[in-house]
Amino acid sequence: MFRVLQMLTLCFAITVLGCSKNQLEQCNDNTPLYTLADFPIGVAISPTQLEYNSDYRRIAFAQFNRFTPENALKPEALHPEQNAYSFFVADSLVALALQHEKTIHGHTLVWHNQLPSWMQNFKGNKQEWIDMMKVHIQTIVSHFADKVPSWDVVNEAFEDNGEFRENIWVENIGKDYIKLAFEFAREANPDALLFYNDFNVAEKSKKCKAIVEHLSQLKEDGVPIHGMGMQLHIFNSSPSENAIKTAVDAFVEKGFLMHFSEIDISMNANGDMKLTDGKLQKQGRRMKALVHIFQQIPTDQQFGITVWGISDIDSWIPSFFGREDYPLMYNENYEPKPMYCGFREGLVN
Ligand code: G3I
């Protein structure tokens, strides 16, 4: 009896939480995901998982050719004291990635979150704040100058209503902090591709409009902003694919490189879901649609597609929102889900 129950559980796990065997055989001929695309296929990476979790490591190296360190290049990780930087973990991750011929996308230099406490509590006049931000940006960008060719320079500077987000930078420097941050990054590495990165851009038109207007104005003024990172932390049910496409087009028309920079597709916004095969299939279709939207971007503006983690248990969503969720391409056993098949199908069909 126990054996029968075990078998039933296994069948459920394979057919509902992962791809069914048939479905996987149909969508997967074992070629790595990144070899199917003409643009980089990225993933958010945790150095700890990469070191200690063999399933995670196998998939990270096999399927992707760009790594975005999920937390390891953020201010609190790299710049713990005003006069002390902590590069050891990041350097090791970058070296390992380069050994495996992955490119690195740097995330993120200026943000309101994950700041070291000295930075949050910094006291100074406007010029001292500018100088502090400049040293922060330039020390980090210079340190990685020959290894990290692209950066999210400013992250999440706008609110959903289109206003500037209140943060230490706007309070102490003023709205010009965005322009200055990009200029400082360029001085430190004139070859780097520099991005603005944000969420809810497809969903909230006021936010999208404000960002398009602000970035375009800066670009016209000669500020070195090359690209837009649309994070795409989306849901199975929203925003609509039309809304996403409309938002993408608004940036494309202004000539920005496009990065779908942090994809995950949450299935349980209300916290009351039952996981069903239908929902997993829908998630797969959403992923395929995202790839198709990306492919409609002119090729010289396609920076790449990045998913925000490997398996559902690596995702930030369950712990952040305190709910069960299944937002990524692999299940908790590191088996591919229909979302993985959707990504592949999007690339080949
Ligand atoms: O480093 C500490 C560790 O010392 C401590 O033991 C542990 C206990 O909880 O916490 C660790 O810090 C965690 C950190 O990730 C590093 O693992 C924080 O609690 C946790 O809140 C933090 O979450 C990250 C989150 O950004 C913070 O805002 C997520 O992993 C990361 O996926 C998420 O990523 C952001 C992007 O950078 C920007 N866009 C939104 C996206 C999702 O929130």
Side-chain angles (χ1 to χ4, degrees), residues 6-20:
Q6 262 190 332
M7 289 304 291
L8 282 174
T9 314
L10 188 65
C11 286
F12 177 82
I14 291 173
T15 56
V16 176
L17 300 183
C19 293
S20 72

Side-chain angles (χ1 to χ4, degrees), residues 56 309-315 328-334:
Y56 183 101
I310 292 181
S311 89
D312 290 335
I313 51 170
D314 303 315
S315 168
L328 293 171
M329 294 199 293
Y330 292 82
N331 69 18
E332 76 269 29
N333 299 318
Y334 290 87

Side-chain angles (χ1 to χ4, degrees), residues 72 111 136 217 307-308 342:
W111 195 19
H136 168 74
Q217 187 58 55
V307 287
W308 205 240

Side-chain angles (χ1 to χ4, degrees), residues 70-71 74 76 107 111 113-114 155-156 197 231 233 262 308 316:
E70 185 173 358
N71 291 295
K74 289 174 176 172
E76 74 174 0
H107 172 82
W111 195 19
N113 208 350
Q114 288 179 285
N155 200 40
E156 302 171 3
N197 190 51
Q231 294 185 9
H233 297 291
E262 304 185 10
W308 205 240
W316 65 286

Side-chain angles (χ1 to χ4, degrees), residues 65-86:
N65 59 351
R66 175 182 282 148
F67 288 179
T68 301
E70 185 173 358
N71 291 295
L73 297 187
K74 289 174 176 172
E76 74 174 0
L78 291 183
H79 197 174
E81 303 293 339
Q82 186 171 359
N83 296 313
Y85 292 80
S86 173

